[in-house]
Amino acid sequence: MTEYRTLHEPEINRTLFQDFIRRQVVTKCWRKEHGQWIIKDAPFIDDWTEEDYLVLIDCLKHTISTGGLVHGAFVNHSLKGFIAVLPEIFGGENQYMDLAAIHVSQDMRNSGIGKTLFLTAKQWAKEKGAKKLYISAHSAVESQAFYKKMGCVEAKVYQQKHVEEEPFDCQLEVGL
């Protein structure tokens, strides 16, 4: 059975992620070329280093301390998925909130955890006054299939900070 709950700053540490497997084997990615989206071969393995985990922990703690949401999915008391939504509303009339993170452990993908977490993020953002979630999303074909299934489309307005930080990400939005 999966337990879903909001995480609190003191519990976010390296031990929380001891059973979390970030690994994603990527073979094909979406790329925008000449204004058109195409699928290209782009094989690589996406995994987090110890330094990446430390940066993630700092980011998640900051999200909580500034009023954002960090919500996790636990299986047998082990973290197997999480989302982070930043508290600021941006984007003028689009009224976006940033889905800063959504990750499901490799051993639990396609189990419904991602969908449940995504719906939690949408509900929370709506309750806080946003009209849409903004997602700077991994361009892997599998990742994009998930977002499309969740109703995401290309963002009307790109958040330049995200484009600069992750130029190969797909910039998406979903109405709340």
Side-chain angles (χ1 to χ4, degrees):
M1 183 157 164
T2 306
E3 175 196 357
Y4 295 91
R5 64 178 176 81
T6 298
L7 299 176
H8 302 283
E9 201 172 342
E11 67 186 310
I12 298 178
N13 55 51
R14 185 61 181 97
T15 305
L16 179 67
F17 296 93
Q18 69 186 5
D19 298 320
F20 192 89
I21 307 165
R22 168 58 186 101
R23 185 178 174 87
Q24 182 175 0
V25 178
V26 177
T27 57
K28 296 183 181 295
C29 290
W30 284 96
R31 295 289 186 258
K32 196 169 193 178
E33 292 186 0
H34 311 293
Q36 298 292 319
W37 287 101
I38 60 169
I39 295 174
K40 295 192 79 162
D41 289 326
F44 66 98
I45 296 173
D46 198 355
D47 211 345
W48 287 335
T49 65
E50 278 304 310
E51 184 179 333
D52 292 333
Y53 276 105
L54 296 177
V55 169
L56 171 67
I57 289 163
D58 284 345
C59 289
L60 294 177
K61 285 183 173 195
H62 179 75
T63 297
I64 293 169
S65 72
T66 58
L69 174 69
V70 177
H71 201 80
F74 293 82
V75 176
N76 298 323
H77 307 287
S78 293
L79 182 72
K80 291 297 180 176
F82 64 95
I83 50 118
V85 183
L86 302 182
E88 301 85 14
I89 294 177
F90 66 93
E93 67 186 32
N94 287 294
Q95 296 291 286
Y96 292 118
M97 270 191 161
D98 197 339
L99 179 65
I102 179 168
H103 295 284
V104 175
S105 184
Q106 183 182 40
D107 57 328
M108 296 302 295
R109 292 183 190 142
N110 299 307
S111 69
I113 287 174
K115 178 180 180 179
T116 300
L117 289 170
F118 193 84
L119 294 174
T120 299
K122 285 180 66 174
Q123 183 62 38
W124 186 85
K126 183 177 183 177
E127 289 171 4
K128 296 296 182 184
K131 293 181 183 171
K132 299 178 183 180
L133 273 182
Y134 186 95
I135 307 109
S136 181
H138 199 294
S139 62
V141 168
E142 298 82 2
S143 298
Q144 288 301 305
F146 167 78
Y147 290 113
K148 184 174 183 175
K149 190 174 170 183
M150 294 297 103
C152 297
V153 296
E154 185 173 1
K156 287 185 173 52
V157 177
Y158 279 20
Q159 174 81 331
Q160 198 57 38
K161 172 185 78 153
H162 286 304
V163 174
E164 290 168 6
E165 289 175 1
E166 295 287 351
F168 291 119
D169 273 9
C170 298
Q171 305 304 311
L172 306 175
E173 67 179 43
V174 64
L176 304 179

